[in-house]
Amino acid sequence: MNVLVTGGTGTLGRHVVMLLRQSGHRARILSREPRGHVDAVQGDLKTGQGLAKAVNGMDSIIHTASATRESLAGRAVDVRGTRRLLTMAKDAGTSHVVFISIVGVDRVSYPYYRTKLRAEKVVREDLIPWSILRATQFHPYMELILGGFSRLPGVTAIPFSWQFQPVDARDVARRAVDAVLEGPAGMLPDFGGPEVRDFKSIAQSWLEARKSRRRLVNLWLPLKGSRQVAAGGLLCPDHRDGTLTFDQYLAERYAL
Ligand SMILES: NC(=O)c1ccc[n+]([C@@H]2O[C@H](COP(=O)([O-])OP(=O)(O)OC[C@H]3O[C@@H](n4cnc5c(N)ncnc54)[C@H](OP(=O)(O)O)[C@@H]3O)[C@@H](O)[C@H]2O)c1
């Protein structure tokens, strides 16, 4: 199968590309900066540049690209960019898109999640047949937010009660590849990591793995989104699909 992987340079996308190629399929990458990548098309969802070339000859798309690091570009990339991509895919005769989304985007009121929900709505417009795969937080993302809460010297201040079900990007990539091979299926079951853990215990494991002596402090955030995350809005405890735990990921990453 010929598959376009948008975001094929990202945390999830690079595993998707690897798995597709290992199983004998063609994986073409869409990237703004494709230098150093094979079978890659330079393009930008924000402007539409390169998208027609990227979809040309592709049977399916695994759409993982997202403005994860530019909050102001969210709508332009994720919502309008997805519509542009799927409109061109329709013209090119592409027969399936697997859109990667996040468990709980409809339960937690963060601006990025609202953007993802809007992008899901674009996918559901049926420009081309679709599947939507919602996953929980990837392990490197847990580290990214822990780093964000560790800006003060000597202290990591986090809401202890937030609950997560971190998942390995390789497990999600495997599910995404199966989904593209299975064909359009609409809304797929949520895909979660093997364990539900509170943020305090996740942070303790992280600090231990990094041999850090930072003090853990409970942070009270009087925000609706924070209460929703503490109440389990990002979890799918009935879908503990991932195989690798956060501690196993840390052991691998920090060679414990
Ligand atoms: N991170 C998580 O915990 C998590 C959890 C569940 C679901 N998800 C979803 O999974 C997907 C992948 O997340 P990730 O963490 O792997 O992302 P990531 O590592 O931040 O990678 C984002 C990718 O998007 C591409 N991209 C960004 N802006 C673009 C633009 N204007 N045009 C074309 N490509 C663009 C980037 O490619 P270039 O820089 O090469 O252009 C990059 O490959 C996202 O849809 C995200 O919402 C993430």
Side-chain angles (χ1 to χ4, degrees), residues 1 3 12 22 43 46 52 57-58 63 67 130 145 158 184 187 192 203 205 211 238 253:
M1 187 183 279
V3 185
L12 173 66
Q22 279 166 1
K46 189 152 60 172
M58 292 292 108
H63 184 23
W130 55 273
I145 52 174
I158 54 160
M187 207 67 207
S205 291
K211 302 195 173 22
D238 296 339
R253 170 147 157 68

Side-chain angles (χ1 to χ4, degrees), residues 7-13 30-33 43-46 64-70 77 100-102 112 116 135-138 141:
T9 56
T11 306
L12 173 66
L30 170 73
S31 165
R32 290 164 298 174
E33 289 279 344
D44 192 335
L45 287 160
K46 189 152 60 172
T64 80
S66 172
T68 51
R69 285 149 221 252
E70 314 158 79
V77 175
I100 307 298
S101 190
I102 306 170
Y112 177 62
K116 290 292 292 186
T136 53
Q137 283 61 48
F138 306 157
Y141 177 73

Side-chain angles (χ1 to χ4, degrees), residues 210-228:
R210 293 164 62 93
K211 302 195 173 22
S212 166
R213 299 165 64 90
R214 284 178 167 277
R215 200 158 54 88
L216 261 187
V217 175
N218 192 15
L219 177 70
W220 184 63
L221 278 183
L223 300 171
K224 191 170 163 197
S226 175
R227 283 194 297 276
Q228 289 164 329

